[in-house]
Amino acid sequence: RDKIEIVKPKDYSAPVMERSAKLQAILSSAVSDVMTAHKIMPEEIGATLIDLRDPNRLQTAEVNGEKRLYTASVVKMFYMAALERQLEDGKVVMTKELERGLHDMIVDSSNEATQYILDVLTDTSSGGELPPKEFEKWQYKRNRVNRFFASLGYQNINVNQKTFCEDAYGIEQQSRAYKGQNRNMLTTNATARLLAEIALRRFVNEKRSEAMLSLMSRDWSKPSNDPDNQAVGFTGKALIDNNITGAKLWSKAGWTSKSRHDAAYVELPDGRAFTLVV
């Protein structure tokens, strides 16, 4: 079984994090300002901030950090991390096509590429609905990424569905339980933790960590009129609006017709480094 499962490394240890009153005051104030300015209700926003300056003692703050949300394309970061784990363990072999799919999933946020990556990770494929016993076997395989993150201590998330431009059909809709009860769900706490582990080069080896960060690197200095541009339409916009020069940004955004999400890792010239998920 371990030949196909995504397995926690024997030397893995979860990051040590502690709540910071100072960070909490900053984050709570910022969230309050946003809710007032844009008439957002308290239950409509979640945010987590992690200070990465001391890798052995991460300082955190959160607002609705454990609230489960459908975060659209942000889940692609979890699939990327799971794939890098399989690549490092030699259970998946990189090919030109897999490299193309991984690139397009993160850089362009391609849903078709994501569908392919999840097929590779779980040995499942889309198609017609299945009878109960066959579906149970299919769904067990599709939950492979969930089992992996649960083994690392990630809680309150669901990462077992493909992303689509329009809708899921056939077995994909069957997997969602038809009315969306089994859709992908993330929390800002879990997402910020994963991005912190990637940024600290702890999730996989140094080379694979750098590969992930390279895919998430965003040049927010280049203007764009696209509101969904991952470099300037989300956290990058804050860097632009506040005239913060010299900052570096890595991120994975997600959006729907009703919501906007971003998971960002920022390094500032003065040495501050943090993950911010909203």
Side-chain angles (χ1 to χ4, degrees):
R1 181 179 164 188
D2 281 356
K3 292 182 179 179
I4 57 174
E5 286 292 293
I6 314 171
V7 178
K8 178 179 73 172
K10 293 180 180 179
D11 61 350
Y12 176 83
S13 60
V16 177
M17 292 187 277
E18 61 181 51
R19 294 290 292 271
S20 163
K22 181 179 179 180
L23 285 185
Q24 189 63 54
I26 293 170
L27 184 64
S28 295
S29 176
V31 169
S32 178
D33 288 346
V34 168
M35 289 194 296
T36 300
H38 301 284
K39 298 180 180 178
I40 296 171
M41 300 300 292
E43 67 272 15
E44 295 177 324
I45 189 168
T48 299
L49 175 65
I50 305 178
D51 184 345
L52 303 183
R53 283 177 292 183
D54 183 352
N56 297 315
R57 189 185 174 197
L58 302 180
Q59 303 288 300
T60 72
E62 52 99 351
V63 175
N64 289 335
E66 285 300 317
K67 183 177 179 62
R68 283 162 58 92
L69 298 164
Y70 174 71
T71 56
S73 293
V74 176
V75 75
K76 296 168 184 177
M77 186 173 69
F78 284 76
Y79 297 154
M80 172 183 67
L83 180 61
E84 290 293 347
R85 179 75 266 151
Q86 290 294 71
L87 288 166
E88 183 168 322
D89 290 343
K91 296 176 183 178
V92 172
V93 177
M94 182 61 83
T95 65
K96 286 293 183 181
E97 186 62 7
L98 188 57
E99 185 177 16
R100 182 173 79 99
L102 180 57
H103 173 278
D104 292 353
M105 178 176 73
I106 301 300
V107 176
D108 302 323
S109 206
S110 164
N111 289 329
E112 288 76 13
T114 306
Q115 295 161 23
Y116 161 53
I117 296 297
L118 192 56
D119 283 346
V120 170
L121 282 169
T122 63
D123 191 29
T124 60
S125 59
S126 302
E129 296 158 277
L130 292 174
K133 287 188 177 180
E134 292 181 49
F135 172 71
E136 186 178 345
K137 294 179 181 178
W138 184 96
Q139 187 76 311
Y140 179 81
K141 291 197 293 183
R142 178 55 75 84
N143 273 313
R144 187 174 292 164
V145 181
N146 267 334
R147 289 193 294 276
F148 169 57
F149 280 102
S151 74
L152 303 179
Y154 283 76
Q155 300 176 338
N156 207 23
I157 66 173
N158 188 49
V159 286
N160 66 358
Q161 299 294 330
K162 294 181 176 180
T163 55
F164 295 91
C165 294
E166 295 181 353
D167 201 0
Y169 292 87
I171 197 169
E172 298 296 341
Q173 195 62 259
Q174 186 179 8
S175 179
R176 287 186 182 184
Y178 295 103
K179 294 185 179 180
Q181 302 96 315
N182 195 36
R183 297 184 81 185
N184 286 331
M185 300 293 278
L186 295 175
T187 66
T188 57
N189 282 352
T191 306
R193 170 185 164 180
L194 176 59
L195 188 48
E197 293 196 75
I198 293 171
L200 294 172
R201 283 75 167 171
R202 288 181 173 177
F203 199 84
V204 287
N205 65 33
E206 183 82 17
K207 180 179 179 181
R208 298 203 176 280
S209 297
E210 293 295 342
M212 286 194 285
L213 289 169
S214 177
L215 292 175
M216 290 192 290
S217 179
R218 311 294 179 193
D219 184 358
W220 56 274
S221 67
K222 295 181 179 179
S224 171
N225 293 322
D226 179 6
D228 298 329
N229 182 294
Q230 294 187 94
V232 301
F234 296 84
T235 303
K237 185 177 183 342
L239 300 176
I240 296 168
D241 291 350
N242 288 279
N243 298 312
I244 300 176
T245 59
K248 296 180 180 179
L249 171 67
W250 298 261
S251 69
K252 183 70 201 79
W255 58 93
T256 71
S257 60
K258 299 179 180 179
S259 61
R260 294 179 71 77
H261 314 282
D262 199 24
Y265 164 46
V266 179
E267 290 182 355
L268 299 177
D270 62 7
R272 283 178 290 176
F274 57 89
T275 60
L276 175 64
V277 176
V278 183

